[in-house]
């Protein structure tokens, strides 16, 4: 066979691409169950973080999740939330999702039994800037400032929880300081909270 012919090079390249593609597909399928388990575990750890339960080993997280999260509840329009018990007190964990500066942001906000007072919060991101927008995930101190904030304004109807620049905070009962130097990401978190809690309003006002 003339290995210098163009037809040989084309056929050789095509066969090589097919073999590599097959191997990659095989490896992906073989590892997918393990990946799915890791994704599910990471989600559980994020929910626990919103309940101020953090820094657990994987085996501890599985056990703690089973102890704390009593049931997943579907409310109006197919929305999901988590009914939990922490130190004998009922908590509700609300999933929130929105857009940051560079991509999706999401998180979980735990509420006290009154469905109005924030017990804890955890936020994550897809591609926010390290040291700036990424602080919504990396700074536990920033997440902790949500504890004790009220979802609703004094009228009991208006969703008041928000993230604002420190100079613009007028209602400290419901508003948190933005991440310094990450205005657009902070605005994204604020909008995410407003829109997400609006979807759950019928449940929260029961």
């Amino acid at each position: 066979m003339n290995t210098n012919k163009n037809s040989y090079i084309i056929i050789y390249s095509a066969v090589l691409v097919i073999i590599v593609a097959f191997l990659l597909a095989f490896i992906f399928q073989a590892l997918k169950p393990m990946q799915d388990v890791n994704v599910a575990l990471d989600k559980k750890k994020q929910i626990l973080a919103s309940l101020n339960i953090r820094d657990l080993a994987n085996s501890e997280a599985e056990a703690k999740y089973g102890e704390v999260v009593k049931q997943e509840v579907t409310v109006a329009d197919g929305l999901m939330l988590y009914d939990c018990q922490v130190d004998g007190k009922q908590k509700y964990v609300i999933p929130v999702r929105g857009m940051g500066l560079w991509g999706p942001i999401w998180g979980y906000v735990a509420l006290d039994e009154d469905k109005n007072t924030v017990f804890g919060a955890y936020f994550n991101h897809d591609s926010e800037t390290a040291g700036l927008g990424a602080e919504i995930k990396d700074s536990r101190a920033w997440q902790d400032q949500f504890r004790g904030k009220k979802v609703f304004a004094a009228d009991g109807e208006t969703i008041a929880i928000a993230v604002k620049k420190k100079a613009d905070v007028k209602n400290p009962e419901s508003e948190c300081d933005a991440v310094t130097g990450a205005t657009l990401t902070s605005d994204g978190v604020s909008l995410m909270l407003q829109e997400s809690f609006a979807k759950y309003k019928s449940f929260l006002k029961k």
Side-chain angles (χ1 to χ4, degrees), residues 20-193:
V20 171
F22 174 79
L23 289 174
L24 289 174
F26 175 78
I27 293 171
F28 173 79
Q29 290 299 325
L31 295 178
K32 191 173 187 305
M34 186 182 301
Q35 292 173 339
D36 291 343
V37 168
N38 288 336
V39 168
L41 178 60
D42 184 58
K43 178 180 177 180
K44 291 176 180 179
K45 293 176 80 170
Q46 291 183 39
I47 292 170
L48 289 173
S50 74
L51 293 163
N52 306 312
I53 303 170
R54 306 189 183 218
D55 304 322
L56 299 177
N58 289 347
S59 58
E60 294 175 319
E62 284 282 8
K64 194 65 176 179
Y65 185 88
E67 173 191 333
V68 169
V69 180
K70 300 305 179 182
Q71 60 178 333
E72 298 180 4
V73 181
T74 302
V75 295
D77 300 321
L79 297 171
M80 179 73 69
L81 60 85
Y82 302 88
D83 185 359
C84 308
Q85 291 279 334
V86 178
D87 296 329
K89 296 180 180 179
Q90 190 167 28
K91 311 293 178 185
Y92 299 99
V93 176
I94 308 292
V96 295
R97 190 169 186 87
M99 286 296 296
L101 175 59
W102 301 114
I105 56 176
W106 64 92
Y108 298 92
V109 180
L111 302 179
D112 286 334
E113 191 172 1
D114 64 2
K115 301 179 184 178
N116 185 38
T117 306
V118 176
F119 177 70
Y122 176 84
F123 301 107
N124 208 329
H125 65 90
D126 187 49
S127 54
E128 298 306 295
T129 306
L132 296 173
E135 289 297 288
I136 66 171
K137 173 189 176 182
D138 298 336
S139 174
R140 181 170 179 176
W142 190 80
Q143 294 177 5
D144 282 348
Q145 70 172 327
F146 286 85
R147 297 179 67 175
K149 300 297 183 183
K150 302 297 183 181
V151 174
F152 294 98
D155 61 14
E157 292 294 331
T158 305
I159 296 174
I161 190 167
V163 177
K164 296 185 176 182
K165 290 182 180 180
K166 189 170 185 178
D168 296 332
V169 172
K170 306 299 181 185
N171 178 15
E173 286 193 352
S174 296
E175 297 170 354
C176 295
D177 295 343
V179 177
T180 303
T183 300
L184 293 180
T185 302
S186 298
D187 289 345
V189 173
S190 190
L191 183 61
M192 172 177 71
L193 294 172

